[in-house]
Amino acid sequence: MTATTISARGETLAFPDGFVWGAATAAYQIEGAARDDGRGPSIWDTFSHTPGRTAGGHTGDVACDHYHRYAGDVRMMAELGLGAYRFSVAWPRIQPSGSGPANAAGLDFYDRLVDELLAADIAPYVTLYHWDLPQALEDLGGWTNRDTAYRFADYTQIVHDRLGDRVGTWMTVNEPWVAAVLGYGIGAHAPGRASAAEVFRASHHLLLAHGLGARVLRESGAREIALTLNLAPVITPDQVNDPDLVPSAEDAEAVNRIDCLINRQYLDPALRGSYPAPALAIMDRMGGLDHIRDGDLEAINQPLDLLGINYYTPCVVRSEPGEPANAAYPGSEDIRFSGAHAPTTAMGWAIVPTGLTQLLTRLSRDYPEVGLLVTENGAAFDDVVTGDRVHDTDRTAFFEGHLRAAHAAIEAGSDLRGFLVWSLLDNFEWAEGYDKRFGIVHVDFETQRRLPKDSALWYREVIRHNGLHRERVRRPTLEAVAARAGVSRSTVSRVINGEGTVSDEFRAIVLDAVNELGYVPNSAARSLVTRRTDSIALVVSGSPAGAYPDDPLFSATVRSATRELEDAGKRVTLMLADSAEGRLRVERYAASGHLDGVVLDSTLSSDPLPTALARTGIPVVSLGRPAVSAPTSYADIDNTGGAASAVRHLLARGRRRIAAIAGPPDTIAAQDRLRGYREALRDTGHRSIIAVGDLTLASGADAMRQLLRDDPALDAVFVAGDLMAIGALRVLSESGRRVPDDVAIVGFDDIGAASYTVPALTTVRTPRTDQARAAVRLLLRQIDGGPASSTILPTELVIREST
């Protein structure tokens, strides 16, 4: 199949004839039935049952209960028009101990699943390894043990012997980079080990397993064999919006080195039979090359029919002399991972569809011998169930952007043969537990009810037409609802605003049209019958130097508040008030009558804006407790209690000289966290040892150096922000202090990087997105005439290896 088969048929942006449309899942994330029918424990069973390893202590014990509900799930796939379903086989179901004879009951389940799929005219795409290694093999060294690769080959033979007469497409190993780096390098995924040297050993053995498994499949007559990799274009910040920009020599070296680590370290052995030289040099420096034996690369370099591509976001880097290595990228010294300045998903991953075009065209250019298949592409968003619908417009827009990017790659000559969305179902999202939803089908984990989201219904139409509309999908308008219902715009607006002057008959007709179209009311609809502007200002005021640019939770807070307001039909204006002029501009705008209310993110205790806004008479709710003198409602987190719990945890671990790295003293949250630290020590008679940072990584490092000079005998540190804690960890490592043997350390906020540090950072988890939602709800209640009130949300101590 080539791009020459594309034609523009009418209004459709058509994909090649025979293009494969489908969805993907993984066994541990959806099956449940963790102890049924002889299944043995996997590393993810052990990991998820270890306190502090997963969000909320969630496990995959039940997940989506797909093991018992697969028949209904297949019927739903057929209703959505899927042509292919990629699922993984759970190795512990087939060989509970990772070796030896097959478990017949486990094979029987996949027999039934494959037959059900074929009866529904859905092609089964089997992934043999999606991270659920039998625990018995991990006990023998897991992927750092060469023998595991040979056990994988034996397991491959067993599965193909049973399913090979009906399964045409086989995928050996899923995302070896993730399995090795997150599982063995930084401990964020199962089995939870943290060693830079083990990363490269585990990576090589995963590749060897792929090669040995591919050889078994080929010799057994498999029709299509694939390796599935998480791949990303590595670019500089300037190239995010200008891909053709030529980087400096220093930035080009940084790009090349990281590209070797995340892309070519896997592509080149599998497709060329060799490792790239920069990757070999880093491997040698980190732990030697004794794990690479004669004949290994020949074994890995098996002929492939397809390369599976899991794409979510680009990797954005630039040269930064003196920057310590990122723990997830051993050998990345002098490189800064800056991230893309772009809209993000609920995971905080930048949404850059053009990165998929770059990736696909590069792969077809550099590795033309193999066909391409997007095996995962998708996004987590904060979905809301409204009646019998989930109007996930953000996810639909995400897919549409990436499918247009895929189409552009095909037109440029890329041999792309199919697209599988991630994921069919909301599921157990590994260390994130059930908090992040990637599915095109909503799952109520209490009742196991399945509900196709709007993105699933949209995808069904894409499949039906084998393409996209040439014009992008537009959100339904008030006029579209009125036309569908056969009523006036005013009638629709009155129904939306709860006016009692519309008959029950017409109200039902309008609401049916609203649900059918997925309409979200906006200010135009509401302003027809109310005096409100339906405009809310989200005001950021009083940022201390350096606090927001480096704060990874700030954008999540703003995004959650914005989404909650937009879901309520509000128009949101973001305003900055970081100067006297800016504060005056906000105050005048609020007093002018252009706003219904303000959500205020004010950090400084001396900020005059909360009091000034209160004088305007419009409702104001602060994200965080304002100064005592400000008569403003607020939604805050329990900074004092969270800090106290962190210090009590250190005391319970036998630590007695506990220092603190406090945040900026002029911020209320930092004052509260310092108060909690002092109260916990005062209750036990221990003295305070304090240094101050400004919430940045560099300031945490400087404060840690000061503490070591002032009190070399300290044995624990409470840090009032995770970025500062990461800086402190680096200084402790540089000074030869072992964590936690010599010095234990606890952070605050639980940013994404906290679980990726070495060792993983014990920290206080703060419900920032819940705080933003709570603030918006308090504000909306005030706007609707309710009382002004405040709320404080609890924090949670997440215990990891740093203590």
Side-chain angles (χ1 to χ4, degrees):
M1 183 188 305
T2 68
T4 58
T5 62
I6 296 178
S7 62
R9 294 187 284 272
E11 297 300 313
T12 301
L13 200 65
F15 280 76
D17 294 334
F19 195 81
V20 176
W21 300 99
T25 63
Y28 189 75
Q29 294 184 269
I30 68 163
E31 285 183 359
R35 299 172 186 84
D36 289 16
D37 296 335
R39 179 186 179 277
S42 76
I43 55 175
W44 270 99
D45 292 287
T46 303
F47 186 84
S48 64
H49 280 270
T50 302
R53 291 296 200 175
T54 63
H58 298 165
T59 75
D61 287 0
V62 177
C64 305
D65 196 29
H66 175 73
Y67 188 80
H68 298 112
R69 300 169 186 267
Y70 70 92
D73 288 340
V74 172
R75 285 195 297 273
M76 183 174 58
M77 295 179 214
E79 291 167 2
L80 293 177
L82 301 188
Y85 173 51
R86 176 186 172 225
F87 63 93
S88 75
V89 174
W91 192 345
R93 284 201 195 283
I94 308 307
Q95 292 178 299
S97 64
S99 62
N103 172 37
L107 285 170
D108 289 346
F109 167 69
Y110 296 107
D111 245 344
R112 296 192 297 273
L113 175 59
V114 168
D115 286 345
E116 197 81 26
L117 289 166
L118 293 174
D121 201 25
I122 300 170
Y125 282 24
V126 171
T127 301
L128 287 162
Y129 183 71
H130 202 131
W131 307 350
D132 48 358
L133 184 73
Q135 182 61 44
L137 292 183
E138 174 60 27
D139 294 341
L140 298 174
W143 288 111
T144 64
N145 179 359
R146 181 182 181 84
D147 187 63
T148 301
Y150 292 91
R151 301 289 70 75
F152 176 79
D154 296 341
Y155 153 70
T156 298
Q157 188 70 70
I158 291 171
V159 178
H160 187 272
D161 284 349
R162 175 62 76 91
L163 305 179
D165 60 329
R166 286 154 293 156
V167 173
T169 302
W170 295 82
M171 300 171 188
T172 54
V173 173
N174 180 78
E175 296 187 353
W177 183 91
V178 175
V181 173
L182 271 61
Y184 291 86
I186 58 177
H189 278 194
R193 291 156 66 174
S195 165
E198 288 189 349
V199 167
F200 298 107
R201 190 173 297 273
S203 290
H204 180 72
H205 292 153
L206 282 156
L207 284 172
L208 181 60
H210 152 72
L212 297 174
R215 181 184 291 167
V216 166
L217 292 169
R218 187 69 65 194
E219 291 173 351
S220 300
R223 178 173 59 83
E224 284 188 326
I225 302 172
L227 169 65
T228 302
L229 302 176
N230 57 296
L231 299 171
V234 184
I235 54 179
T236 67
D238 291 335
Q239 289 177 314
V240 173
N241 296 314
D242 187 0
D244 295 328
L245 183 73
V246 178
S248 67
E250 294 79 10
D251 283 348
E253 189 281 328
V255 166
N256 180 63
R257 198 177 348 147
I258 300 306
D259 184 65
C260 281
L261 288 173
I262 66 172
N263 293 324
R264 282 183 284 153
Q265 183 184 176
Y266 303 92
L267 288 165
D268 284 6
L271 299 175
R272 293 179 174 168
S274 62
Y275 279 111
L280 276 176
I282 293 171
M283 289 183 210
D284 195 16
R285 176 160 58 90
M286 290 294 168
L289 301 174
D290 61 301
H291 58 285
I292 304 175
R293 300 186 185 177
D294 289 345
D296 281 3
L297 288 166
E298 289 80 3
I300 294 169
N301 182 212
Q302 297 297 309
L304 293 181
D305 304 289
L306 292 170
L307 176 65
I309 300 150
N310 297 351
Y311 173 75
Y312 293 94
T313 191
C315 183
V316 184
V317 301
R318 60 181 172 84
S319 175
E320 185 72 32
E323 181 77 6
N326 185 314
Y329 301 86
S332 62
E333 297 87 357
D334 302 320
I335 296 176
R336 184 179 181 90
F337 292 77
S338 60
H341 295 290
T344 60
T345 68
M347 296 290 288
W349 298 345
I351 302 171
V352 186
T354 54
L356 181 59
T357 307
Q358 293 174 257
L359 181 62
L360 293 172
T361 53
R362 177 259 181 106
L363 291 170
S364 283
R365 181 188 68 240
D366 293 353
Y367 308 94
E369 69 278 10
V370 64
L372 306 179
L373 175 69
V374 173
T375 39
E376 290 183 24
N377 178 253
F381 291 106
D382 298 325
D383 298 324
V384 177
V385 178
T386 305
D388 287 329
R389 298 291 294 271
V390 178
H391 301 309
D392 58 336
T393 52
D394 287 333
R395 185 174 290 104
T396 300
F398 179 96
F399 282 132
E400 181 175 14
H402 285 80
L403 283 174
R404 289 180 182 276
H407 189 275
I410 296 173
E411 288 190 316
S414 179
D415 186 11
L416 180 64
R417 303 180 184 181
F419 194 98
L420 312 181
V421 300
W422 183 270
S423 170
L424 175 69
L425 302 169
D426 289 337
N427 55 39
F428 175 79
E429 189 48 43
W430 307 114
E432 300 291 342
Y434 297 101
D435 291 347
K436 297 292 186 280
R437 293 178 175 268
F438 277 84
I440 60 172
V441 174
H442 182 274
V443 177
D444 182 327
F445 294 109
E446 293 296 324
T447 65
Q448 293 298 335
R449 179 196 185 205
R450 271 70 159 154
L451 179 62
K453 304 174 188 178
D454 283 2
S455 59
L457 306 180
W458 173 87
Y459 190 48
R460 180 177 63 190
E461 294 305 303
V462 171
I463 296 170
R464 180 177 298 166
H465 296 288
N466 194 39
L468 304 162
H469 290 292
R470 288 196 168 276
E471 296 297 322
R472 286 184 176 272
V473 174
R474 298 182 183 275
R475 295 192 180 195
T477 63
L478 180 75
E479 290 76 9
V481 176
R484 180 64 59 90
V487 299
S488 69
R489 292 174 70 251
S490 177
T491 299
V492 174
S493 184
R494 291 179 188 281
V495 171
I496 290 169
N497 285 280
E499 293 287 297
T501 57
V502 180
S503 70
D504 290 343
E505 177 186 0
F506 281 101
R507 185 182 306 279
I509 292 171
V510 169
L511 291 177
D512 284 344
V514 166
N515 287 329
E516 183 179 348
L517 294 174
Y519 174 69
V520 178
N522 59 22
S523 58
R526 297 187 185 279
S527 63
L528 286 174
V529 293
T530 71
R531 294 181 179 273
R532 298 176 190 164
T533 67
D534 272 340
S535 290
I536 304 295
L538 180 55
V539 178
V540 179
S541 174
S543 169
Y548 285 118
D550 283 343
D551 184 356
L553 293 176
F554 172 63
S555 62
T557 303
V558 171
R559 184 176 64 247
S560 295
T562 301
R563 182 173 290 119
E564 191 77 12
L565 287 165
E566 289 179 341
D567 287 346
K570 304 297 182 182
R571 184 169 58 246
V572 184
T573 301
L574 179 64
M575 305 183 74
L576 300 180
D578 52 0
S579 66
E581 294 79 7
R583 287 190 291 273
L584 183 60
R585 183 172 60 252
V586 170
E587 185 179 351
R588 287 174 175 170
Y589 191 68
S592 69
H594 294 311
L595 296 171
D596 288 340
V598 173
V599 176
L600 175 62
D601 192 342
S602 176
T603 62
L604 301 182
S605 58
S606 59
D607 188 1
L609 190 58
T611 300
L613 286 174
R615 286 197 298 264
T616 67
I618 69 170
V620 179
V621 175
S622 289
L623 277 166
R625 183 173 61 85
V628 175
S629 60
T632 304
S633 299
Y634 61 87
D636 201 4
I637 58 178
D638 188 6
N639 289 294
T640 302
S645 69
V647 176
R648 293 190 191 107
H649 168 69
L650 291 170
L651 290 166
R653 294 291 172 96
R655 308 293 172 161
R656 293 296 176 264
R657 300 179 72 86
I658 305 173
I661 298 177
D666 55 351
T667 63
I668 294 170
Q671 294 170 5
D672 288 347
R673 293 177 188 185
L674 186 58
R675 181 181 300 110
Y677 161 77
R678 283 174 164 154
E679 288 177 356
L681 288 184
R682 186 170 58 248
D683 291 344
T684 57
H686 293 81
R687 70 182 183 91
S688 301
I689 311 165
I690 299 169
V692 176
D694 63 11
L695 301 182
T696 63
L697 187 150
S699 75
D702 291 341
M704 190 69 247
R705 293 187 187 97
Q706 176 190 326
L707 289 173
L708 291 175
R709 288 193 301 269
D710 294 347
D711 192 343
L714 65 85
D715 60 8
V717 187
F718 164 68
V719 190
D722 282 351
L723 279 175
M724 295 191 298
I726 293 170
L729 276 171
R730 292 180 179 179
V731 169
L732 289 170
S733 176
E734 292 166 2
S735 65
R737 304 293 182 97
R738 296 170 300 169
V739 179
D741 296 350
D742 300 327
V743 181
I745 188 165
V746 181
F748 208 110
D749 282 327
D750 197 27
I751 64 174
S755 60
Y756 299 162
T757 61
V758 179
L761 182 65
T762 291
T763 185
V764 177
R765 178 172 292 153
T766 57
R768 289 288 190 95
T769 56
D770 291 342
Q771 179 192 6
R773 295 190 191 103
V776 169
R777 290 164 188 168
L778 290 173
L779 180 67
L780 295 177
R781 187 169 64 179
Q782 285 189 47
I783 292 172
D784 287 337
S789 60
S790 299
T791 187
I792 296 178
L793 303 178
T795 58
E796 174 191 1
L797 183 66
V798 181
I799 301 171
R800 300 190 180 103
E801 287 83 352
S802 71
T803 59

